[in-house]
Amino acid sequence: MATSPNAPTAAAPRSSKLLIGLLIGVSLLAAGAVAYVLLGPKAAAHQAEAAKPAPEKPIFVALEPFTVNVQGEGRAKFLHVGMALKVRGEPSKAQITEFMPELRSRALMLLSNRTADSLVSPDDKAKLAEEIRTELNRPLNADLPEQGITSVAFNTFVVQ
């Protein structure tokens, strides 16, 4: 049997299905690429944000305000100060609370050796805060670690 050149063959339906399959595949790849370009950076940023650990809440221990005599030229000067100690964690907070009388005494001794003129500028106060942090962080005895004070914040500071 002879076939004419115009007669359909079995390859024609197969090639059209292959062509349709390729077009669908290319379309899906293109749609995926567009979705990645549009959503990829946002989704990656969102995932990175979600992966970040939540910042820890700061823990502060407030010292009751106190007044101390400071060194003055000719007349008595006073410093009225209130401060809060930022600590590393609950164990540090518990230790500071337990030894509060000794820590207050250390702060009073440190402050009473200052002159009124050395407590005026913002730089003087920042330096004083660091000295207080260092002094109060010293171990209370040989068996105890340092207190874990990371910073000192003044909430009252009056030199008169």
Side-chain angles (χ1 to χ4, degrees), residues 3 7 12 39 52 65 71 82 98 112 125 153 156 160:
T3 59
L39 301 176
K52 270 194 245 178
Q71 306 297 318
E98 183 179 350
S112 66
K125 292 173 185 168
T156 305
Q160 191 172 357

Side-chain angles (χ1 to χ4, degrees), residues 83-144:
M83 62 184 96
L85 310 174
K86 185 175 181 182
V87 297
R88 287 191 191 111
E90 290 298 328
S92 295
K93 181 179 179 180
Q95 183 173 329
I96 289 170
T97 302
E98 183 179 350
F99 288 92
M100 186 60 75
E102 185 172 342
L103 294 173
R104 282 180 58 86
S105 176
R106 285 183 183 186
L108 285 167
M109 296 302 274
L110 180 72
L111 293 169
S112 66
N113 288 324
R114 297 284 183 257
T115 63
D117 295 337
S118 71
L119 302 171
V120 179
S121 77
D123 288 338
D124 293 338
K125 292 173 185 168
K127 182 180 174 187
L128 179 62
E130 181 58 27
E131 289 175 12
I132 292 170
R133 186 193 70 77
T134 301
E135 177 64 21
L136 298 185
N137 252 341
R138 279 190 312 111
L140 294 159
N141 64 40
D143 299 331
L144 293 174

Side-chain angles (χ1 to χ4, degrees), residues 16-58:
S16 64
K17 287 181 183 179
L18 183 61
L19 183 60
I20 292 173
L22 282 172
L23 287 174
I24 291 172
V26 169
S27 298
L28 289 174
L29 286 174
V34 168
Y36 176 77
V37 168
L38 295 177
L39 301 176
K42 292 178 185 176
H46 180 67
Q47 285 177 348
E49 188 176 308
K52 270 194 245 178
E56 292 184 26
K57 287 185 175 181

